[in-house]
Amino acid sequence: VNMQLPPPGCYEKYLAVIKDASRRWNCPVVDLNAGGRFGTADFYDTVHMNSRGGRKLLDAIVAEIASNRGLSAQLTGPRPAAALLATSQNSPQ
């Protein structure tokens, strides 16, 4: 909603940094801002979501997790926290 505030190209640079970190740490990135998923009716003000927007955000997160078997397995496996810790210890600094 407030995407007009940052200077041109700022969001694209932000996404590039996030995607680079995603590749280095082998974790998925989901750009929930893509595709016009949220509109002004989903926000209380220019930054904070209202209950409708929050529900849409959580539904989108759940759908992304459900569509990614590997991520879903890591989050629901017998020891997901231990798996995440082991992954972070073996990841580049």
Side-chain angles (χ1 to χ4, degrees):
V1 171
N2 63 355
M3 294 302 291
Q4 296 81 14
L5 296 177
C10 183
Y11 186 69
E12 290 75 15
K13 288 179 186 176
Y14 162 79
L15 278 181
V17 169
I18 295 299
K19 288 178 181 180
D20 181 56
S22 169
R23 284 187 293 276
R24 285 188 318 196
W25 290 87
N26 192 30
C27 64
V29 170
V30 178
D31 183 5
L32 294 176
N33 197 47
R37 192 177 302 210
F38 302 101
T40 55
D42 298 315
F43 290 83
Y44 173 75
D45 56 26
T46 60
V47 177
H48 303 97
M49 288 186 158
N50 58 28
S51 59
R52 175 187 166 184
R55 177 63 186 219
K56 284 174 70 173
L57 175 65
L58 289 176
D59 287 347
I61 292 169
V62 168
E64 289 294 335
I65 291 170
S67 71
N68 184 325
R69 279 188 148 160
L71 178 58
S72 181
Q74 284 183 330
L75 294 174
T76 60
R79 293 179 47 145
L84 291 174
L85 179 58
T87 300
S88 69
Q89 290 173 346
N90 294 327
S91 296
Q93 297 295 321

